[in-house]
Amino acid sequence: MGRRKAIALVAMGLAVCLAGFSGCQDTAKNSAKVRPPAATPQPKASPPLVASVGELPFPQNPADFSNLTPAPRLWVDQLIDDVQASFDAANRAYAAGQLDVARKDFNAALNRLTKSNPEVTGDARLQDLFNRIVDTMQTGEMATEEKDEATAEANEDAADAADNAASADNSDDTTAQAPPESTAPIEEIADMEDLPASDPRLAATAEKELITVPHDLPLTLNPSVLQYLSFFASPRGREIVEMGLERAGRYRAMIESTLKKEGLPLDLIYLAQAESAFKPRAVSSKGARGIWQFMPYSGEEYGLHRTYYVDQRDDPVAATEAAAETLRDLYQSFGDWYLAMAAYNSGPMNVTRAVERTGYADFWQLQQRNALPEQTKNYVPIILALTLVAKDPGLYGIHVDADPGPQFDSVTLQHSISLRLVADATGAGLDDLQALNPELVRGVTPPNFVLNVPKGTGDQLQAEIANIPADKLTSWRVTKFSADETLGEVARRYHVTLASLANVNVIDPHDPPAAGTVLIVPAAAPRVRLIYYRVRRADTLDSIASRYDVTVSDLQRWNRLRSSRTPHGRTLRIYENSYPGETATAPRTVTVARHSTEQAPAAPAAPAGPHQTVEHKVRSGETLWSIAKEYGTTVEAIKQQNPFLATRELEVGDRLSISTRQN
């Protein structure tokens, strides 16, 4: 049901437009429209193959689609189109501040979709669309309601900030989710309505560049491309290009090596420039992440896993490998780089349906006939314009000093460790550590993780944490003792007792060590915050769990929910910053945070009972990650209990043995 299977269906969708072809034509210049065969005229001879600019890695033996018949258009496709239209209208209204109109359109989209029961239809596209609508509604509703609470919460937030600034050890950074760097640039560029007019001088410059600059993607100059060239020559456009080209230096060698290994055009690197400006933590409004902007489901299909600790879509190396595989599969299906890029942006089925409706297997014809989503119509021109600018920035008044590639040591850590402790031990800043390990979604590593640290600090890290117990690596700290402070001041700074500080370091509390001595600080674990959350109409248990980085099973256990039905209108108890499966009876400090309806003490949840093994039948659209989240376990644990997963992928109908806790 994922992107791999959708790509496999492209061949059937292209049959209508390819059945009448008698020869290949250049993508950038010509198009062929499928027409019913004439009754009397003799067939014309096949035209000679037109060589395109640059060398293209076309398949030596293209697939023969002549014997295939087009797949019928299912009612599900029409439903998705209708719901997506309402969803898009709601987003436009919300962006314009028309909240009543937006709410009406959101409800219309959701009501239409829920009547189809996406779980029953078994179509992962419906489930994905449902999740996006619910998440967007929740985000919008929360933003509107929280405006009224902003003044009341400001004092509390200011007090928390002051407390955190005064004591670095009590910060919740080790479990709080790391924020994204920015929104995806492609959304700003592709959705612009006030693009500048094409500049004839740029057209002449670009035409000369096509002749002199080597490239391995087919490059075309037309009004769409020239319009974006004009934008990239404007102040805002230059800013976007310069930012991306500067950051490209960090990843260019790695990306080009990966593309070369897959036999792909090296110029595909500029997809990443358009998608994210090479920001590993860029996030789109629809939930796509990373420098290649993978959605959760498509990322899972290409091996980009998400856990409590990491999101591999943010890992530049893993995401680049997945993007190369995706683009390779798309090109093998379409045999055309422009259509492959369009499919990367909007999904292969959108492009296939556009070809079916129009009879044209040519991007420019599909663009002209408005057969593609609005953003996708602009996507390919943006890539081509960016490629032209990036090949010779000076021609367009852009001057860039590319960032150097990162230099780091890689350290294999068997146990989870907080980045604050790593920063203490290496002298690196938290921002530097996050930049070297962008896939970490919070300030703590998972077990058995390969952590990147600044060059030359790997051995130092291992030496300074060697004497810290494994179960304390997520909370304890280290610090160098300074000659101008006392042990008592160190203890107060980290909110520990002088006796415990002296005991852990085996020193006399009244006889300070020499300056420069590394002290181990037995700091407390981050605080768990108790939140009272009132369930809104658009909420689901899954969306609530995602919002607060907990699991559905945690919500059920903490609130004694007997089923997976969402208790609309009820106030739920949520322990934020708790680890998956952690109960409120754990010996950690619990504080009542904002969104609470009353300052009640944190009542302990029912203690977890013994483990039990349940059987789960895999449904359409499910992944190991979603199943693990449902049962409050991990993908690794499920794989260990089901050895057959080591030899093949998960399939619909599989029966999994899953160990969970009795409540």
Side-chain angles (χ1 to χ4, degrees):
M1 295 300 296
R3 184 179 283 177
R4 287 182 186 270
K5 296 180 181 178
I7 291 172
L9 294 176
V10 167
M12 300 182 68
L14 290 174
V16 172
C17 66
L18 294 176
F21 280 11
S22 57
C24 298
Q25 299 186 18
D26 183 30
T27 301
K29 299 179 180 179
N30 300 317
S31 63
K33 185 169 183 178
V34 176
R35 303 180 185 277
T40 54
Q42 296 298 321
K44 296 181 180 180
S46 300
L49 180 67
V50 179
S52 57
V53 180
E55 296 182 0
L56 303 181
F58 286 106
Q60 294 181 355
N61 299 305
D64 181 10
F65 301 117
S66 59
N67 295 324
L68 298 178
T69 57
R73 181 174 174 83
L74 302 177
W75 67 270
V76 174
D77 297 335
Q78 185 60 51
L79 174 64
I80 290 175
D81 290 343
D82 294 343
V83 174
Q84 185 68 53
S86 296
F87 185 35
D88 292 342
N91 281 318
R92 289 192 297 269
Y94 183 79
Q98 301 170 342
L99 300 184
D100 291 338
V101 176
R103 189 175 294 110
K104 180 180 178 180
D105 288 334
F106 276 131
N107 289 334
L110 190 61
N111 291 339
R112 180 74 184 276
L113 192 57
T114 53
K115 289 180 181 179
S116 71
N117 196 342
E119 293 186 359
V120 174
T121 63
D123 194 300
R125 295 174 298 161
L126 287 174
Q127 189 63 50
D128 176 68
L129 186 56
F130 175 82
N131 291 338
R132 286 195 287 118
I133 293 173
V134 169
D135 290 346
T136 303
M137 290 179 69
Q138 178 185 349
T139 302
E141 187 176 21
M142 288 294 295
T144 302
E145 293 182 1
E146 287 180 357
K147 285 181 181 178
D148 297 333
E149 301 174 5
T151 302
E153 292 176 354
N155 294 334
E156 179 184 345
D157 289 343
D160 287 344
D163 180 63
N164 289 338
S167 58
D169 63 295
N170 255 356
S171 172
D172 290 344
D173 286 348
T174 55
T175 51
Q177 189 170 10
E181 286 185 351
S182 67
T183 55
I186 189 64
E187 293 191 325
E188 175 186 351
I189 304 172
D191 296 336
M192 292 183 66
E193 298 180 355
D194 55 347
L195 285 169
S198 300
D199 187 339
R201 293 170 298 177
L202 286 178
T205 300
E207 287 173 357
K208 293 179 181 178
E209 184 183 8
L210 278 177
I211 299 174
T212 59
V213 175
H215 50 273
D216 53 10
L217 272 179
L219 297 182
T220 300
L221 281 179
N222 58 30
S224 293
V225 177
L226 289 173
Q227 197 170 24
Y228 280 104
L229 272 178
S230 298
F231 168 70
F232 291 132
S234 69
R236 175 55 182 156
R238 283 198 299 270
E239 180 183 353
I240 293 175
V241 174
E242 289 172 354
M243 176 179 60
L245 290 179
E246 286 175 359
R247 297 179 63 87
R250 307 182 188 186
Y251 308 110
R252 181 179 294 277
M254 178 271 295
I255 293 175
E256 290 184 345
S257 174
T258 303
L259 294 174
K260 185 176 181 179
K261 182 178 66 176
E262 292 290 342
L264 302 176
L266 301 187
D267 288 344
L268 289 174
I269 188 175
Y270 301 114
L271 268 75
Q273 166 127 5
E275 292 279 5
S276 66
F278 299 101
K279 292 186 176 182
R281 299 188 64 81
V283 179
S284 77
S285 61
K286 295 182 178 180
R289 292 185 68 111
I291 64 174
W292 293 98
Q293 289 292 284
F294 275 96
M295 293 293 291
Y297 188 77
S298 58
E300 288 281 349
E301 285 295 309
Y302 281 86
L304 300 178
H305 302 302
R306 297 183 298 160
T307 70
Y308 177 79
Y309 300 98
V310 302
D311 190 331
Q312 288 186 316
R313 295 177 296 164
D314 294 350
D315 181 346
V317 176
T320 297
E321 292 173 351
E325 293 178 13
T326 303
L327 290 165
R328 177 201 63 201
D329 290 348
L330 290 169
Y331 180 74
Q332 288 176 350
S333 296
F334 288 98
D336 178 289
W337 278 119
Y338 293 174
L339 293 179
M341 289 189 287
Y344 187 88
N345 177 255
S346 65
M349 294 307 297
N350 275 328
V351 177
T352 300
R353 289 197 295 268
V355 171
E356 290 175 352
R357 289 196 299 268
T358 65
Y360 285 94
D362 178 271
F363 173 80
W364 304 111
Q365 293 292 342
L366 299 179
Q367 183 202 53
Q368 181 180 347
R369 286 161 173 76
N370 294 318
L372 295 169
E374 194 65 31
Q375 186 182 97
T376 307
K377 291 192 300 182
N378 300 327
Y379 186 75
V380 172
I382 289 171
I383 303 300
L384 299 181
L386 271 176
T387 303
L388 287 168
V389 174
K391 288 289 184 180
D392 194 345
L395 284 177
Y396 303 92
I398 296 174
H399 303 281
V400 175
D401 292 324
D403 293 343
Q407 301 294 317
F408 54 85
D409 293 340
S410 295
V411 181
T412 301
L413 300 168
Q414 295 183 344
H415 305 282
S416 294
I417 185 173
S418 76
L419 291 187
R420 284 191 172 276
L421 176 56
V422 175
D424 292 342
T426 62
L430 285 174
D431 290 341
D432 295 332
L433 292 173
Q434 188 68 65
L436 289 173
N437 304 274
E439 68 272 29
L440 291 174
V441 296
R442 59 192 74 249
V444 62
T445 72
N448 301 312
F449 182 73
V450 179
L451 181 71
N452 297 327
V453 295
K455 189 73 174 177
T457 64
D459 292 340
Q460 179 181 341
L461 170 63
Q462 292 181 316
E464 295 204 5
I465 66 174
N467 295 323
I468 299 179
D471 63 337
K472 304 299 184 183
L473 290 172
T474 58
S475 58
W476 284 17
R477 306 285 299 277
V478 295
T479 185
K480 284 188 177 182
F481 186 68
S482 174
D484 58 357
E485 64 182 348
T486 66
L487 286 176
E489 289 172 339
V490 174
R492 284 192 295 273
R493 186 166 77 246
Y494 289 96
H495 290 272
V496 299
T497 65
L498 178 59
S500 65
L501 180 65
N503 183 57
V504 165
N505 292 278
V506 194
I507 56 177
D508 185 341
H510 304 293
D511 184 13
T517 299
V518 176
L519 298 176
I520 297 174
V521 182
R527 294 173 297 174
V528 175
R529 297 195 301 169
L530 172 59
I531 293 172
Y532 291 102
Y533 179 81
R534 188 174 183 274
V535 182
R536 296 165 173 82
R537 182 175 57 180
D539 288 336
T540 66
L541 287 181
D542 188 70
S543 67
I544 297 171
S546 297
R547 178 179 178 82
Y548 290 102
D549 293 312
V550 297
T551 66
V552 171
S553 60
D554 284 337
L555 293 176
Q556 292 171 323
R557 182 173 65 256
W558 294 333
N559 297 280
R560 303 182 183 234
L561 303 178
R562 299 180 180 273
S563 71
S564 59
R565 295 180 59 184
T566 305
H568 295 108
R570 178 173 168 180
T571 298
L572 297 183
R573 177 172 303 182
I574 302 172
Y575 291 94
E576 193 180 39
N577 293 336
S578 61
Y579 292 101
E582 182 181 50
T583 67
T585 57
R588 299 176 66 185
T589 304
V590 180
T591 61
V592 178
R594 61 186 183 182
H595 300 303
S596 61
T597 56
E598 56 180 335
Q599 296 296 319
H611 284 86
Q612 64 175 348
T613 299
V614 298
E615 185 180 82
H616 177 86
K617 184 177 180 180
V618 179
R619 299 183 295 271
S620 176
E622 288 187 319
T623 64
L624 286 176
W625 181 85
S626 66
I627 295 170
K629 190 172 182 179
E630 178 180 350
Y631 288 95
T633 184
T634 65
V635 171
E636 290 74 16
I638 294 178
K639 286 183 175 179
Q640 289 177 359
Q641 286 188 271
N642 301 271
F644 70 87
L645 293 174
T647 60
R648 66 171 176 82
E649 297 293 329
L650 185 70
E651 297 178 358
V652 174
D654 283 343
R655 295 185 180 274
L656 303 178
S657 295
I658 301 175
S659 179
T660 184
R661 288 181 179 272
Q662 296 178 354
N663 292 332

